[in-house]
Amino acid sequence: YVAAEVYKSHDWFAEAVPRYESIITNAPKHEYASFAGASLLECNYRLKNWTEVEKWARVLLKNKNYAVITKDALQGNVVFAINEQARELQEAGNVNDGAKQLLRLVEEFPKNEKASGAFFNAASLYNGDEQVKKAIEVFERVVKEYPGSEEAPKALYVMGQTFNVRADFERAASYWERLGTKDYRDYENSDEAVFDAGVLYRQLGKFDKSIEVSESFIDIYGKTDDKENAELARKLRLELAYIEIDRKEQGKAMKRFAEFLKRKDTKPNEAIQAHAEIGDLHTKVKGKKWEKFSDEAFTKSYKAFLKYKETLDEAGQKTVEYRTARNYASRSKFSQAERIYVEFVAVKLEF
């Protein structure tokens, strides 16, 4: 033992190792066996010989030699060694064996603090190697078996990315929308994911789902101190009216446009737009007194535009916002004139 310690003190770890091993093997119950075990593990750590760290930590566990290193600490050594073996295999390009090492860690030590991370890393290895089926299976287990871990929301986000890249937009949206649940909404990318899920559902023609997810984004992220999310939520309130149009709910669309106009944060150019859209909807639906209501909406759109124009200088009148507002105002005047023309043509003169 003294000889081994001398070698170790001079950083001659390879020379010290066999002497410590001899003590543990030939005198496992001796008081020096515990000290030899601790020093042996340290030497193998220094040598980065992770298979030997795992091997001898397991020997000490089998011998129940906890005098110097506790049982939990020995198990921690096994976990760390397996993790390092996986890392080295990954760096060597051996993805499958690296992932298997990490999964072995999880299966043997499911309650260890590194288990959820090992699970996630194994899935990431498969994913990076285009073994998508295996990756998703493991990512799903991360969420199911470690729902409270920091890796669970990361797994949902990555699964969404994986399917989005492969144009499986519905599955991508299904994972991303889950990040808006109470347990995961504090994840750093949850706002982006939930917003994108709403967009994907709309593109897929799943308008009911798009509205549901978009409204959840507004409720969760529109009331925070994050200015960017607050602005996204504000614009999304207007966009919801168009999604109502997409799903042929003109009445609900008019209601959303009207509610948007009541908000204090509605911008002048957006008000011009909303009034014009309400006028168009009345014209298409042709409900009770539609002529009156459409004319009122178009008039409000045009008057709002004139007022808006007065607030802008020459540079302001060259912006996209101004040009878009002018287009809506022009549409409003044209629609009014078109209705008058149609009514005029329809008149039958009697003599």
Side-chain angles (χ1 to χ4, degrees):
Y1 176 80
V2 173
E5 287 291 293
V6 171
Y7 280 128
K8 178 169 150 307
S9 67
H10 288 83
D11 293 344
W12 291 9
F13 304 116
E15 289 75 11
V17 163
R19 290 161 173 79
Y20 291 130
E21 291 177 351
S22 177
I23 295 171
I24 298 168
T25 302
N26 298 310
K29 300 299 182 181
H30 194 280
E31 61 178 313
Y32 281 110
S34 297
F35 295 100
S39 293
L40 175 60
L41 291 178
E42 182 184 348
C43 287
N44 281 314
Y45 262 85
R46 296 291 191 90
L47 295 169
K48 295 185 178 181
N49 196 338
W50 307 117
T51 56
E52 290 298 300
V53 171
E54 180 185 356
K55 171 187 173 181
W56 288 101
R58 288 187 184 281
V59 169
L60 294 172
L61 283 166
K62 183 179 179 180
N63 293 343
K64 296 183 180 181
N65 197 330
Y66 309 139
V68 175
I69 306 178
T70 65
K71 179 180 179 180
D72 287 344
L74 286 172
Q75 289 180 341
N77 276 273
V78 174
V79 169
F80 186 84
I82 295 174
N83 196 66
E84 287 302 300
Q85 290 174 66
R87 182 183 59 77
E88 289 183 347
L89 287 165
Q90 177 190 355
E91 291 176 353
N94 196 337
V95 171
N96 283 315
D97 285 345
K100 287 177 182 177
Q101 288 283 4
L102 292 169
L103 294 176
R104 178 167 72 89
L105 185 159
V106 177
E107 296 302 330
E108 186 174 0
F109 303 101
K111 295 183 179 180
N112 187 274
E113 61 181 9
K114 292 185 180 295
S116 59
F119 238 167
F120 182 87
N121 290 338
S124 297
L125 286 178
Y126 286 134
N127 204 35
D129 196 46
E130 297 296 321
Q131 298 184 57
V132 177
K133 185 177 180 181
K134 284 185 178 180
I136 297 303
E137 288 176 356
V138 180
F139 277 134
E140 288 278 17
R141 287 186 64 186
V142 173
V143 178
K144 181 179 179 180
E145 297 176 29
Y146 299 93
S149 68
E150 64 179 36
E151 286 79 19
K154 287 167 64 177
L156 289 171
Y157 184 74
V158 173
M159 284 191 284
Q161 284 184 315
T162 299
F163 285 110
N164 188 51
V165 168
R166 288 163 178 77
D168 190 342
F169 300 123
E170 187 167 1
R171 289 193 72 179
S174 71
Y175 287 117
W176 280 343
E177 71 167 296
R178 289 167 66 184
L179 287 167
T181 59
K182 185 177 180 180
D183 291 335
Y184 302 133
R185 61 185 53 167
D186 291 332
Y187 172 63
E188 60 180 346
N189 293 318
S190 66
D191 51 353
E192 170 194 329
V194 175
F195 182 86
D196 288 346
V199 172
L200 288 178
Y201 280 129
R202 184 181 182 185
Q203 293 173 344
L204 291 166
K206 296 183 175 294
F207 303 122
D208 292 353
K209 195 67 179 174
S210 178
I211 287 175
E212 176 190 332
V213 175
S214 297
E215 286 183 330
S216 71
F217 178 90
I218 292 170
D219 291 340
I220 297 168
Y221 306 105
K223 301 173 183 178
T224 65
D225 294 330
D226 188 313
K227 292 182 179 179
E228 184 176 347
N229 279 337
E231 178 62 11
L232 273 177
R234 192 189 68 77
K235 290 181 178 179
L236 199 51
R237 289 185 173 92
L238 177 60
E239 201 60 33
L240 283 171
Y242 289 101
I243 302 177
E244 296 287 8
I245 294 174
D246 290 340
R247 66 172 183 167
K248 312 301 181 185
E249 292 284 357
Q250 287 87 350
K252 292 181 179 180
M254 281 191 276
K255 184 178 179 181
R256 287 192 186 272
F257 280 126
E259 289 174 348
F260 185 77
L261 285 165
K262 293 176 183 178
R263 295 184 58 84
K264 294 180 180 179
D265 57 3
T266 300
K267 297 180 179 180
N269 59 304
E270 294 169 335
I272 297 163
Q273 175 181 345
H275 283 304
E277 295 290 6
I278 290 172
D280 282 342
L281 286 167
H282 278 299
T283 302
K284 291 174 183 177
V285 174
K286 289 183 170 54
K288 187 177 181 181
K289 297 182 179 180
W290 70 270
E291 298 94 337
K292 174 179 180 295
F293 293 136
S294 64
D295 189 64
E296 288 177 350
F298 289 139
T299 298
K300 288 179 180 178
S301 177
Y302 187 70
K303 287 184 176 180
F305 171 72
L306 294 177
K307 187 176 180 180
Y308 172 56
K309 183 177 180 180
E310 291 176 356
T311 66
L312 300 175
D313 56 18
E314 185 177 348
Q317 293 183 27
K318 293 181 180 179
T319 62
V320 174
E321 289 79 6
Y322 173 79
R323 291 198 297 270
T324 303
R326 183 178 61 189
N327 181 55
Y328 278 110
S330 299
R331 264 177 48 188
S332 295
K333 293 302 289 183
F334 177 83
S335 296
Q336 285 180 309
E338 179 71 7
R339 184 179 62 79
I340 293 171
Y341 172 75
V342 171
E343 289 177 352
F344 175 77
V345 171
V347 172
K348 292 183 179 179
L349 298 178
E350 295 183 4
F351 296 93

